[in-house]
Coordinates of all heavy atoms in Angstrom, one line a residue:
M1 N -60.3 -0.1 -50.3 CA -60.6 -0.1 -48.9 C -59.5 0.6 -48.1 O -58.4 0.3 -48.3 CB -60.9 -1.5 -48.4 CG -61.4 -1.5 -47.0 SD -61.6 -3.2 -46.4 CE -59.9 -3.6 -46.1
K2 N -59.9 1.5 -47.2 CA -58.9 2.1 -46.4 C -58.9 1.5 -45.0 O -59.8 0.8 -44.5 CB -59.3 3.6 -46.2 CG -59.0 4.4 -47.4 CD -58.8 5.9 -47.0 CE -60.1 6.6 -47.3 NZ -59.9 8.1 -47.2
M3 N -57.7 1.7 -44.4 CA -57.5 1.2 -43.0 C -57.3 2.5 -42.1 O -56.7 3.4 -42.5 CB -56.3 0.4 -42.9 CG -56.4 -1.0 -42.3 SD -54.9 -1.9 -42.4 CE -54.0 -1.1 -41.1
C4 N -57.9 2.4 -41.0 CA -57.8 3.6 -40.1 C -56.3 3.7 -39.7 O -55.7 2.8 -39.2 CB -58.6 3.4 -38.8 SG -58.3 4.6 -37.6
I5 N -55.8 4.9 -39.9 CA -54.4 5.2 -39.6 C -54.1 5.2 -38.0 O -53.0 5.1 -37.6 CB -53.8 6.5 -40.2 CG1 -54.6 7.7 -39.7 CG2 -53.8 6.4 -41.7 CD1 -53.9 9.0 -39.9
A6 N -55.2 5.4 -37.3 CA -55.0 5.5 -35.8 C -55.3 4.2 -35.0 O -54.8 4.1 -33.9 CB -55.9 6.6 -35.3
C7 N -56.0 3.3 -35.6 CA -56.3 2.0 -34.9 C -56.1 0.8 -35.7 O -56.1 -0.3 -35.2 CB -57.6 2.1 -34.2 SG -59.0 1.9 -35.3
G8 N -56.0 0.9 -37.0 CA -55.8 -0.2 -37.9 C -57.1 -0.9 -38.4 O -57.0 -1.9 -39.1
M9 N -58.2 -0.4 -38.0 CA -59.5 -1.0 -38.3 C -59.8 -0.8 -39.8 O -59.7 0.3 -40.3 CB -60.6 -0.4 -37.5 CG -61.9 -1.1 -37.7 SD -63.3 -0.4 -36.8 CE -63.9 0.8 -38.0
P10 N -60.1 -1.9 -40.5 CA -60.5 -1.7 -41.9 C -61.9 -0.9 -42.0 O -62.8 -1.2 -41.2 CB -60.7 -3.1 -42.5 CG -60.3 -4.0 -41.4 CD -60.3 -3.3 -40.1
M11 N -62.0 0.1 -42.9 CA -63.2 0.9 -43.0 C -63.9 0.5 -44.3 O -63.5 0.9 -45.4 CB -62.8 2.3 -42.9 CG -62.1 2.7 -41.6 SD -61.9 4.4 -41.3 CE -60.8 4.9 -42.6
T12 N -64.9 -0.3 -44.1 CA -65.6 -0.8 -45.3 C -66.9 -0.1 -45.5 O -67.5 -0.3 -46.6 CB -65.9 -2.3 -45.1 OG1 -66.6 -2.5 -43.9 CG2 -64.6 -3.1 -45.1
Q13 N -67.4 0.6 -44.6 CA -68.7 1.3 -44.7 C -68.6 2.7 -44.4 O -67.9 3.1 -43.5 CB -69.7 0.6 -43.7 CG -69.9 -0.9 -44.0 CD -71.0 -1.5 -43.2 OE1 -71.9 -0.8 -42.8 NE2 -71.0 -2.8 -43.1
I14 N -69.5 3.5 -45.0 CA -69.5 4.9 -44.9 C -69.8 5.3 -43.4 O -69.3 6.3 -42.9 CB -70.4 5.6 -45.9 CG1 -70.2 7.1 -45.9 CG2 -71.9 5.3 -45.6 CD1 -70.8 7.8 -47.0
S15 N -70.5 4.4 -42.7 CA -70.9 4.7 -41.4 C -69.7 4.6 -40.4 O -69.8 4.9 -39.2 CB -72.0 3.8 -40.9 OG -71.6 2.4 -41.0
E16 N -68.6 4.0 -40.9 CA -67.4 3.8 -40.0 C -66.5 5.0 -40.1 O -65.5 5.1 -39.4 CB -66.7 2.6 -40.4 CG -67.4 1.3 -40.0 CD -66.9 0.0 -40.6 OE1 -66.2 0.1 -41.7 OE2 -67.2 -1.0 -40.1
Y17 N -66.8 6.0 -41.0 CA -66.0 7.2 -41.1 C -66.6 8.2 -40.2 O -67.8 8.3 -39.9 CB -66.0 7.7 -42.6 CG -65.3 6.9 -43.5 CD1 -65.8 5.8 -44.1 CD2 -63.9 7.2 -43.8 CE1 -65.1 5.0 -45.0 CE2 -63.2 6.4 -44.7 CZ -63.8 5.3 -45.3 OH -63.1 4.6 -46.2
P18 N -65.7 9.1 -39.7 CA -66.2 10.2 -38.8 C -67.1 11.1 -39.6 O -66.8 11.6 -40.6 CB -64.9 11.0 -38.4 CG -63.8 10.4 -39.1 CD -64.2 9.2 -39.9
L19 N -68.3 11.3 -39.0 CA -69.3 12.2 -39.6 C -69.6 11.8 -41.1 O -69.9 12.7 -41.9 CB -68.9 13.7 -39.5 CG -68.5 14.2 -38.1 CD1 -68.1 15.6 -38.2 CD2 -69.6 14.0 -37.1
Y20 N -69.5 10.5 -41.4 CA -69.7 10.0 -42.8 C -68.8 10.7 -43.9 O -69.1 10.8 -45.0 CB -71.2 10.2 -43.2 CG -72.1 9.5 -42.3 CD1 -72.7 10.1 -41.2 CD2 -72.4 8.1 -42.6 CE1 -73.5 9.4 -40.4 CE2 -73.3 7.4 -41.8 CZ -73.9 8.0 -40.7 OH -74.7 7.3 -39.9
D21 N -67.6 11.2 -43.4 CA -66.7 11.8 -44.3 C -65.6 10.9 -44.8 O -64.7 10.6 -44.1 CB -66.1 13.0 -43.6 CG -65.1 13.8 -44.4 OD1 -64.9 13.4 -45.6 OD2 -64.5 14.8 -43.9
I22 N -65.8 10.3 -46.0 CA -64.9 9.3 -46.5 C -63.6 9.9 -47.0 O -62.7 9.1 -47.4 CB -65.5 8.5 -47.7 CG1 -65.9 9.3 -48.8 CG2 -66.7 7.6 -47.1 CD1 -66.2 8.5 -50.1
S23 N -63.4 11.2 -46.9 CA -62.1 11.8 -47.2 C -61.1 11.6 -46.0 O -59.9 11.8 -46.2 CB -62.2 13.2 -47.6 OG -62.5 14.0 -46.4
K24 N -61.7 11.2 -44.9 CA -60.8 11.0 -43.7 C -60.1 9.7 -43.8 O -60.6 8.7 -44.4 CB -61.7 11.1 -42.4 CG -62.4 12.4 -42.2 CD -61.4 13.4 -41.6 CE -62.0 14.6 -41.0 NZ -62.6 15.5 -42.0
N25 N -59.0 9.6 -43.2 CA -58.3 8.3 -43.2 C -58.2 7.7 -41.8 O -57.4 6.9 -41.5 CB -56.9 8.4 -43.8 CG -56.1 9.5 -43.3 OD1 -56.4 10.1 -42.3 ND2 -55.0 9.8 -44.0
Y26 N -59.1 8.1 -40.9 CA -59.3 7.5 -39.6 C -60.8 7.2 -39.4 O -61.6 7.8 -40.0 CB -58.7 8.3 -38.5 CG -59.1 9.8 -38.5 CD1 -60.2 10.2 -37.9 CD2 -58.4 10.7 -39.2 CE1 -60.6 11.5 -37.9 CE2 -58.7 12.0 -39.3 CZ -59.9 12.4 -38.6 OH -60.3 13.7 -38.7
C27 N -61.0 6.2 -38.5 CA -62.4 5.8 -38.3 C -63.2 6.6 -37.2 O -62.5 7.4 -36.5 CB -62.5 4.3 -37.9 SG -61.9 4.0 -36.2
K28 N -64.4 6.4 -37.1 CA -65.2 7.2 -36.2 C -64.8 6.9 -34.7 O -65.1 7.7 -33.8 CB -66.7 6.9 -36.4 CG -67.2 5.5 -36.0 CD -68.7 5.4 -36.2 CE -69.2 4.0 -35.9 NZ -70.6 3.8 -36.2
Y29 N -64.3 5.7 -34.5 CA -63.8 5.4 -33.1 C -62.6 6.2 -32.7 O -62.2 6.2 -31.5 CB -63.6 3.9 -32.9 CG -64.8 3.1 -33.3 CD1 -64.8 2.4 -34.5 CD2 -65.9 3.1 -32.5 CE1 -65.9 1.6 -34.9 CE2 -67.1 2.4 -32.9 CZ -67.0 1.6 -34.1 OH -68.2 0.9 -34.5
C30 N -61.9 6.7 -33.7 CA -60.7 7.5 -33.4 C -61.0 9.0 -33.6 O -60.0 9.8 -33.6 CB -59.6 7.1 -34.3 SG -59.2 5.3 -34.1
A31 N -62.2 9.4 -33.7 CA -62.6 10.8 -33.9 C -63.3 11.4 -32.7 O -64.0 10.7 -32.0 CB -63.5 10.9 -35.2
N32 N -63.1 12.7 -32.5 CA -63.8 13.4 -31.5 C -65.2 13.7 -32.1 O -65.4 13.6 -33.3 CB -63.1 14.7 -31.3 CG -61.7 14.5 -30.5 OD1 -61.7 13.9 -29.5 ND2 -60.7 14.9 -31.1
P33 N -66.1 14.1 -31.3 CA -67.5 14.4 -31.7 C -67.5 15.4 -32.9 O -68.4 15.4 -33.7 CB -68.2 15.0 -30.5 CG -67.5 14.4 -29.4 CD -66.0 14.3 -29.8
D34 N -66.5 16.3 -33.0 CA -66.5 17.3 -34.1 C -65.8 16.7 -35.3 O -65.7 17.5 -36.3 CB -65.8 18.6 -33.6 CG -64.3 18.4 -33.4 OD1 -63.8 17.2 -33.5 OD2 -63.6 19.4 -33.1
G35 N -65.4 15.5 -35.3 CA -64.9 14.9 -36.5 C -63.3 14.9 -36.6 O -62.8 14.3 -37.5
S36 N -62.7 15.6 -35.7 CA -61.2 15.7 -35.7 C -60.6 14.4 -35.1 O -61.3 13.7 -34.4 CB -60.7 16.9 -35.0 OG -61.1 16.8 -33.6
M37 N -59.4 14.1 -35.4 CA -58.8 12.9 -34.9 C -58.4 13.1 -33.5 O -57.9 14.1 -33.1 CB -57.6 12.5 -35.8 CG -57.2 11.1 -35.5 SD -55.9 10.5 -36.6 CE -54.4 11.1 -35.8
M38 N -58.6 12.0 -32.7 CA -58.2 12.1 -31.3 C -56.7 12.1 -31.2 O -55.9 11.8 -32.1 CB -58.6 10.8 -30.6 CG -60.1 10.7 -30.3 SD -60.4 9.1 -29.4 CE -62.2 9.3 -29.3
S39 N -56.2 12.6 -30.1 CA -54.8 12.6 -29.8 C -54.2 11.2 -29.4 O -55.0 10.3 -29.1 CB -54.5 13.6 -28.7 OG -54.9 13.1 -27.5
F40 N -52.9 11.1 -29.5 CA -52.3 9.8 -29.0 C -52.7 9.5 -27.6 O -53.0 8.4 -27.3 CB -50.8 10.0 -29.2 CG -50.1 8.7 -28.8 CD1 -50.0 7.7 -29.8 CD2 -49.5 8.5 -27.6 CE1 -49.3 6.5 -29.5 CE2 -48.8 7.3 -27.3 CZ -48.7 6.3 -28.2
E41 N -52.7 10.5 -26.7 CA -53.0 10.3 -25.3 C -54.4 9.8 -25.1 O -54.7 8.9 -24.3 CB -52.8 11.6 -24.5 CG -51.4 12.0 -24.3 CD -50.6 10.9 -23.6 OE1 -51.1 10.2 -22.7 OE2 -49.4 10.6 -24.0
Q42 N -55.3 10.3 -25.9 CA -56.7 9.9 -25.9 C -56.9 8.4 -26.3 O -57.5 7.6 -25.6 CB -57.6 10.7 -26.8 CG -58.0 12.1 -26.2 CD -58.9 12.8 -27.2 OE1 -58.4 13.3 -28.3 NE2 -60.2 13.0 -26.9
K43 N -56.3 8.1 -27.4 CA -56.3 6.7 -27.9 C -55.7 5.8 -26.9 O -56.2 4.7 -26.7 CB -55.7 6.6 -29.3 CG -56.5 7.0 -30.4 CD -57.8 6.4 -30.5 CE -57.8 4.9 -30.9 NZ -59.2 4.3 -31.0
L44 N -54.6 6.2 -26.4 CA -53.8 5.4 -25.4 C -54.7 5.0 -24.2 O -54.8 3.9 -23.7 CB -52.5 6.0 -25.0 CG -51.6 5.2 -24.1 CD1 -51.1 3.9 -24.9 CD2 -50.4 6.0 -23.7
S45 N -55.4 6.0 -23.7 CA -56.2 5.8 -22.4 C -57.4 5.0 -22.7 O -57.8 4.1 -21.9 CB -56.5 7.1 -21.7 OG -57.4 7.9 -22.5
I46 N -58.0 5.2 -23.9 CA -59.2 4.3 -24.3 C -58.8 2.9 -24.5 O -59.4 2.0 -23.9 CB -59.8 4.9 -25.6 CG1 -60.5 6.2 -25.3 CG2 -60.8 3.9 -26.1 CD1 -60.9 7.0 -26.6
L47 N -57.7 2.7 -25.2 CA -57.2 1.3 -25.5 C -56.8 0.6 -24.2 O -57.0 -0.6 -24.0 CB -56.1 1.4 -26.5 CG -55.9 0.2 -27.4 CD1 -57.1 -0.2 -28.1 CD2 -54.7 0.4 -28.4
T48 N -56.1 1.4 -23.3 CA -55.7 0.8 -22.0 C -56.9 0.3 -21.2 O -56.9 -0.8 -20.7 CB -54.9 1.9 -21.3 OG1 -53.7 2.3 -22.0 CG2 -54.4 1.3 -19.9
A49 N -57.9 1.2 -21.1 CA -59.1 0.8 -20.4 C -59.8 -0.4 -21.0 O -60.3 -1.3 -20.3 CB -60.1 2.0 -20.4
N50 N -59.7 -0.5 -22.3 CA -60.3 -1.6 -23.0 C -59.6 -2.9 -22.7 O -60.3 -3.9 -22.5 CB -60.2 -1.3 -24.5 CG -61.1 -2.1 -25.4 OD1 -62.0 -2.7 -24.8 ND2 -60.9 -2.1 -26.7
Y51 N -58.3 -2.9 -22.7 CA -57.5 -4.1 -22.3 C -57.7 -4.5 -20.9 O -57.9 -5.7 -20.6 CB -56.0 -3.9 -22.6 CG -55.7 -3.9 -24.1 CD1 -54.7 -3.1 -24.6 CD2 -56.4 -4.7 -25.0 CE1 -54.3 -3.0 -25.9 CE2 -56.0 -4.7 -26.3 CZ -55.0 -3.8 -26.8 OH -54.7 -3.8 -28.1
I52 N -57.8 -3.6 -20.0 CA -58.0 -3.9 -18.6 C -59.4 -4.6 -18.5 O -59.5 -5.6 -17.8 CB -58.0 -2.6 -17.7 CG1 -56.6 -2.0 -17.7 CG2 -58.5 -2.9 -16.3 CD1 -56.5 -0.6 -17.1
Q53 N -60.4 -4.1 -19.2 CA -61.7 -4.7 -19.1 C -61.8 -6.0 -19.8 O -62.4 -7.0 -19.3 CB -62.7 -3.7 -19.7 CG -64.1 -3.9 -19.1 CD -65.1 -2.8 -19.7 OE1 -64.9 -2.3 -20.7 NE2 -66.1 -2.6 -18.9
T54 N -61.3 -6.0 -21.0 CA -61.5 -7.2 -21.9 C -60.6 -8.4 -21.5 O -61.0 -9.5 -21.4 CB -61.2 -6.9 -23.3 OG1 -62.0 -5.7 -23.7 CG2 -61.6 -8.0 -24.3
Y55 N -59.3 -8.1 -21.2 CA -58.4 -9.1 -20.9 C -57.9 -9.2 -19.4 O -57.0 -10.0 -19.1 CB -57.1 -9.0 -21.8 CG -57.5 -8.9 -23.3 CD1 -57.4 -7.8 -24.0 CD2 -57.9 -10.1 -23.9 CE1 -57.7 -7.7 -25.3 CE2 -58.2 -10.1 -25.3 CZ -58.1 -8.9 -26.0 OH -58.4 -8.9 -27.3
K56 N -58.5 -8.4 -18.6 CA -58.2 -8.4 -17.2 C -56.8 -8.1 -16.9 O -56.1 -8.8 -16.0 CB -58.6 -9.7 -16.5 CG -60.0 -10.2 -16.8 CD -61.1 -9.3 -16.2 CE -62.5 -9.8 -16.6 NZ -63.4 -8.6 -16.9
M57 N -56.1 -7.3 -17.7 CA -54.8 -7.0 -17.5 C -54.6 -5.9 -16.4 O -55.6 -5.2 -16.1 CB -54.2 -6.3 -18.8 CG -54.0 -7.2 -20.0 SD -53.4 -6.2 -21.4 CE -53.1 -7.5 -22.6
D58 N -53.4 -5.9 -15.7 CA -53.2 -4.8 -14.8 C -52.9 -3.6 -15.6 O -52.6 -3.6 -16.8 CB -52.2 -5.2 -13.8 CG -50.8 -5.3 -14.4 OD1 -50.2 -4.3 -14.8 OD2 -50.3 -6.5 -14.6
N59 N -53.0 -2.4 -14.9 CA -52.9 -1.1 -15.6 C -51.6 -1.0 -16.4 O -51.6 -0.6 -17.5 CB -53.0 0.0 -14.6 CG -53.1 1.3 -15.2 OD1 -54.0 1.6 -16.0 ND2 -52.1 2.2 -15.0
N60 N -50.4 -1.4 -15.8 CA -49.2 -1.2 -16.5 C -49.0 -2.1 -17.7 O -48.6 -1.6 -18.8 CB -48.0 -1.5 -15.5 CG -47.8 -0.4 -14.6 OD1 -48.3 0.7 -14.7 ND2 -47.0 -0.7 -13.5
T61 N -49.5 -3.3 -17.6 CA -49.4 -4.2 -18.8 C -50.3 -3.8 -19.9 O -49.9 -3.8 -21.0 CB -49.9 -5.7 -18.3 OG1 -49.2 -6.0 -17.1 CG2 -49.6 -6.7 -19.4
A62 N -51.5 -3.3 -19.5 CA -52.5 -2.8 -20.5 C -51.9 -1.6 -21.2 O -52.0 -1.5 -22.4 CB -53.8 -2.5 -19.8
K63 N -51.4 -0.7 -20.4 CA -50.8 0.5 -21.0 C -49.6 0.2 -22.0 O -49.6 0.8 -23.1 CB -50.4 1.5 -19.9 CG -50.2 2.9 -20.5 CD -50.2 3.9 -19.4 CE -50.1 5.3 -20.0 NZ -50.1 6.4 -19.0
Y64 N -48.8 -0.7 -21.5 CA -47.6 -1.0 -22.3 C -48.1 -1.7 -23.7 O -47.6 -1.4 -24.7 CB -46.7 -2.0 -21.6 CG -45.5 -2.4 -22.3 CD1 -44.4 -1.6 -22.5 CD2 -45.5 -3.7 -22.9 CE1 -43.4 -2.0 -23.3 CE2 -44.4 -4.1 -23.7 CZ -43.4 -3.3 -23.9 OH -42.3 -3.7 -24.6
T65 N -49.1 -2.6 -23.5 CA -49.6 -3.3 -24.7 C -50.2 -2.3 -25.7 O -50.0 -2.4 -26.9 CB -50.6 -4.4 -24.3 OG1 -50.0 -5.2 -23.3 CG2 -51.0 -5.2 -25.5
A66 N -51.0 -1.5 -25.1 CA -51.7 -0.5 -26.0 C -50.7 0.4 -26.7 O -50.8 0.7 -27.9 CB -52.7 0.4 -25.1
Y67 N -49.7 0.9 -25.9 CA -48.7 1.7 -26.5 C -47.9 1.0 -27.6 O -47.7 1.6 -28.7 CB -47.7 2.1 -25.4 CG -46.6 3.1 -25.8 CD1 -46.8 4.4 -25.7 CD2 -45.4 2.6 -26.3 CE1 -45.8 5.3 -26.1 CE2 -44.4 3.5 -26.6 CZ -44.6 4.9 -26.5 OH -43.7 5.8 -26.9
T68 N -47.6 -0.2 -27.4 CA -46.8 -1.0 -28.4 C -47.6 -1.1 -29.7 O -47.1 -0.9 -30.8 CB -46.5 -2.4 -27.9 OG1 -45.8 -2.2 -26.7 CG2 -45.6 -3.2 -28.9
I69 N -48.9 -1.4 -29.6 CA -49.8 -1.6 -30.7 C -50.0 -0.2 -31.5 O -49.9 -0.2 -32.7 CB -51.1 -2.2 -30.3 CG1 -50.9 -3.7 -30.0 CG2 -52.2 -2.1 -31.4 CD1 -52.0 -4.4 -29.4
L70 N -50.3 0.8 -30.7 CA -50.5 2.1 -31.3 C -49.3 2.6 -32.1 O -49.4 3.2 -33.1 CB -50.9 3.1 -30.3 CG -52.4 3.0 -29.7 CD1 -52.6 4.0 -28.6 CD2 -53.4 3.2 -30.9
K71 N -48.1 2.4 -31.5 CA -46.9 2.9 -32.2 C -46.6 2.3 -33.5 O -45.8 2.7 -34.3 CB -45.7 2.7 -31.2 CG -45.7 3.6 -30.0 CD -45.7 5.1 -30.4 CE -44.3 5.5 -30.8 NZ -44.3 7.0 -31.2
K72 N -47.2 1.1 -33.8 CA -47.0 0.5 -35.1 C -47.9 1.1 -36.2 O -47.8 0.8 -37.4 CB -47.3 -1.0 -35.0 CG -46.3 -1.7 -34.2 CD -46.6 -3.2 -34.2 CE -45.5 -3.9 -33.4 NZ -45.9 -5.1 -32.7
L73 N -48.9 1.9 -35.8 CA -49.9 2.4 -36.7 C -49.4 3.8 -37.3 O -48.7 4.5 -36.7 CB -51.2 2.6 -36.0 CG -51.8 1.3 -35.7 CD1 -52.8 1.5 -34.5 CD2 -52.5 0.7 -36.9
P74 N -49.7 4.0 -38.6 CA -49.2 5.2 -39.3 C -49.4 6.5 -38.6 O -48.5 7.4 -38.7 CB -50.0 5.1 -40.7 CG -50.5 3.8 -40.8 CD -50.6 3.2 -39.4
A75 N -50.5 6.7 -37.9 CA -50.8 8.0 -37.3 C -49.8 8.3 -36.2 O -49.6 9.5 -35.9 CB -52.2 8.0 -36.8
W76 N -49.2 7.3 -35.6 CA -48.4 7.6 -34.3 C -47.0 7.2 -34.5 O -46.2 7.4 -33.5 CB -49.0 6.7 -33.2 CG -50.5 6.7 -33.1 CD1 -51.3 5.6 -33.2 CD2 -51.4 7.9 -32.9 NE1 -52.6 6.0 -33.2 CE2 -52.7 7.4 -33.0 CE3 -51.1 9.2 -32.8 CZ2 -53.8 8.2 -32.8 CZ3 -52.3 10.1 -32.6 CH2 -53.5 9.5 -32.7
R77 N -46.6 6.7 -35.6 CA -45.2 6.2 -35.7 C -44.2 7.3 -35.4 O -43.1 7.1 -34.9 CB -45.0 5.7 -37.2 CG -44.6 4.3 -37.2 CD -44.6 3.8 -38.7 NE -45.5 2.7 -38.9 CZ -46.0 2.4 -40.1 NH1 -45.7 3.1 -41.1 NH2 -46.8 1.3 -40.2
R78 N -44.5 8.5 -35.8 CA -43.5 9.6 -35.7 C -43.6 10.4 -34.4 O -42.7 11.1 -34.1 CB -43.6 10.5 -36.9 CG -42.4 10.3 -37.9 CD -42.7 11.0 -39.2 NE -43.4 10.1 -40.1 CZ -44.3 10.5 -41.0 NH1 -44.6 11.7 -41.1 NH2 -44.9 9.6 -41.7
N79 N -44.8 10.3 -33.8 CA -45.0 11.0 -32.5 C -44.4 10.4 -31.3 O -44.1 9.2 -31.3 CB -46.5 11.2 -32.3 CG -47.2 11.8 -33.5 OD1 -46.5 12.5 -34.3 ND2 -48.5 11.6 -33.6
Q80 N -44.2 11.1 -30.3 CA -43.7 10.7 -29.0 C -42.4 10.0 -29.1 O -42.3 8.8 -29.2 CB -44.7 9.7 -28.3 CG -46.1 9.9 -28.6 CD -46.8 10.9 -27.7 OE1 -46.6 10.8 -26.5 NE2 -47.7 11.8 -28.1
Ligands
ZN101 ZN1 -59.6 4.0 -35.8

């Protein structure tokens, strides 16, 4: 079983891969419509919005939390 390198989600089903391509090591939630992987900035803004909505965090806290979590994942460790 693979884990998404960009968000950490375990990928257990073919439907969780971008465009059903199991050679990819990121999930469909981290992919653009064309199947390429989203950028760090894209993931950061999506996750930030998610935290604001789900946990009622303020923008700075949400962004900081999202940043901290993303930086632990293999896709983003070396960037930024
Ligand atoms: Zn993912």
Side-chain angles (χ1 to χ4, degrees):
M1 187 185 74
K2 282 203 261 191
M3 234 177 73
C4 174
I5 59 163
C7 73
M9 185 183 92
M11 301 189 292
T12 55
Q13 301 188 20
I14 193 164
S15 62
E16 289 166 340
Y17 288 83
L19 310 176
Y20 299 91
D21 181 358
I22 59 165
S23 70
K24 296 282 195 287
N25 48 15
Y26 47 90
C27 73
K28 67 177 177 185
Y29 304 107
C30 299
N32 293 303
D34 69 355
S36 63
M37 197 175 83
M38 286 183 184
S39 69
F40 184 81
E41 287 305 319
Q42 278 179 292
K43 281 305 290 180
L44 186 62
S45 67
I46 290 170
L47 207 55
T48 301
N50 200 13
Y51 286 145
I52 291 170
Q53 203 178 25
T54 310
Y55 302 108
K56 312 289 175 221
M57 289 178 176
D58 64 74
N59 188 63
N60 285 345
T61 311
K63 195 164 187 179
Y64 178 78
T65 307
Y67 184 88
T68 307
I69 288 173
L70 285 176
K71 288 301 283 180
K72 290 183 178 147
L73 292 158
W76 319 118
R77 243 174 237 157
R78 255 165 273 149
N79 304 337
Q80 329 270 319

